[in-house]
Amino acid sequence: MPALPSWLTEPLWGQFAALLPERPEYHPGHPLGCHRRRISDRVIFDKLLQLLRFGCSYEAIADTTCSATTIRSRRDEWIRLGVFARLKQIALDSYDRIIGLVLDQIAVDGSITKAPGGGEAAGRSPVDRGKQGLKRSGMTDGYGIPLGRVLAGANRHDSPLLAPTLDRLDDLGPLPDDITVHLDAGYDSDKTRALLNERGLHGRIAHKGEKAPSQASQRWHVERTHAWQNAFCRLARCYERRTTVIDAFFDLADTIITVRSRIRQAWTTHRWDERPDRRP
């Protein structure tokens, strides 16, 4: 069962492969030149997509094509090279050129998920009887395209994570002069308003004690993006212990979300040879 449809995996792999360094099929340092061939990068890439989508263990996804150790070692190699972060940035840049990021409307919110294995970014979850959990403070544009995140323990409050989350805007290049940040009642404090004023940002913050549905503002975009991310079982129930690995899987998921949204919006305005028969 494929983790993703071919109209999505093929463009992802094409760009991913362009970021990988060239490697010989056999290791040139072997004295006899007759050891096993290097496992294809495409095989490892497909395995990582399955891990991200289905949330299974490395041992469960390993088969005769490659072992769990090979998947982990190649994953760590690509993390050291920064391939996942570069892939996400390329997806954002292409989306901005073709569709356009809505950067004058920003939404930030936190989401708590399970982290049964603990790890560097895990903490006691206040919504899961003190079990280990992971919080991500996510930021999206006005449509819901993920722009960045900050990982922390589930026991961290959303408000202190706002500043490092907004720092991710620095990676986006030129920004509009007038930016509105949409926040829920958890950020309703003078400290948050002072932080936004220092950065020249306008805040639209829900007030504590007043019922206000997320549809009343632009906050629902970030809520939808959290739901998109939680559809990847590896993120909804995270067994990874290292923050760098978790960030790599989030970068891969954000790339998939961005490319899928770009194809979905361009389906009605553009034509290309591999265009899906119906709107994805």
Side-chain angles (χ1 to χ4, degrees):
M1 178 180 177
L4 297 171
S6 60
W7 54 262
L8 187 53
T9 55
E10 292 306 320
L12 284 173
W13 166 246
Q15 183 58 69
F16 193 88
L19 298 175
L20 299 178
E22 294 186 4
R23 297 290 178 86
E25 186 177 3
Y26 294 96
H27 195 284
H30 195 274
L32 300 178
C34 58
H35 62 70
R36 292 181 300 173
R37 290 184 175 93
R38 175 182 169 88
I39 302 298
S40 170
D41 289 331
R42 178 61 190 271
V43 172
I44 307 299
F45 180 75
D46 289 339
K47 293 295 184 184
L48 289 177
L49 290 181
Q50 294 175 33
L51 284 168
L52 176 65
R53 180 63 182 87
F54 303 129
C56 50
S57 66
Y58 291 90
E59 287 72 17
I61 207 66
D63 53 22
T64 56
T65 61
C66 65
S67 65
T69 302
T70 302
I71 299 174
R72 291 191 184 96
S73 61
R74 197 75 57 89
R75 175 206 65 192
D76 293 340
E77 175 187 345
W78 292 343
I79 291 175
R80 288 193 300 269
L81 294 173
V83 177
F84 295 101
R86 291 165 59 193
L87 181 68
K88 179 199 170 186
Q89 189 60 45
I90 290 173
L92 277 177
D93 293 341
S94 63
Y95 182 94
D96 195 21
R97 288 195 306 269
I98 297 174
I99 307 297
L101 291 170
V102 186
L103 295 178
D104 59 339
Q105 303 291 328
I106 302 296
V108 179
D109 197 12
S111 177
I112 296 177
T113 55
K114 294 178 179 293
E120 298 174 352
R124 290 174 57 87
S125 175
V127 296
D128 194 18
R129 296 172 294 173
K131 296 180 181 179
Q132 292 293 295
L134 175 70
K135 171 171 281 190
R136 63 176 182 270
S137 176
M139 178 174 59
T140 67
D141 77 334
Y143 178 75
I145 300 301
L147 303 178
R149 86 208 70 84
V150 171
L151 301 178
N155 54 341
R156 292 287 303 278
H157 194 272
D158 289 343
S159 183
L161 300 177
L162 179 60
T165 304
L166 292 175
D167 289 340
R168 300 296 187 269
L169 290 173
D170 298 336
D171 301 331
L172 301 178
L175 298 172
D177 296 332
D178 190 9
I179 300 178
T180 301
V181 181
H182 298 268
L183 304 167
D184 63 16
Y187 300 89
D188 185 17
S189 67
D190 294 336
K191 184 177 180 180
T192 297
R193 294 182 177 87
L195 172 66
L196 296 176
N197 290 333
E198 291 174 2
R199 296 170 179 256
L201 305 174
H202 301 286
R204 187 174 180 185
I205 308 174
H207 296 290
K208 294 180 180 178
E210 297 181 8
K211 292 184 178 181
S214 60
Q215 296 88 344
S217 67
Q218 298 295 322
R219 286 189 296 109
W220 69 273
H221 290 294
V222 69
E223 301 289 352
R224 181 181 62 177
T225 300
H226 282 317
W228 285 343
Q229 292 171 333
N230 288 337
F232 298 98
C233 298
R234 196 74 181 178
L235 307 181
R237 191 178 183 89
C238 182
Y239 285 92
E240 302 291 350
R241 297 184 58 84
R242 289 187 290 151
T243 304
T244 54
V245 178
I246 301 173
D247 272 324
F249 276 114
F250 265 107
D251 286 338
L252 186 56
D254 290 350
T255 301
I256 294 171
I257 291 172
T258 303
V259 174
R260 184 176 59 194
S261 298
R262 188 186 69 183
I263 294 175
R264 179 177 178 84
Q265 296 187 63
W267 189 86
T268 57
T269 58
H270 295 73
R271 296 292 183 271
W272 62 95
D273 294 338
E274 295 82 12
R275 178 175 178 267
D277 294 333
R278 57 183 181 179
R279 188 179 183 186

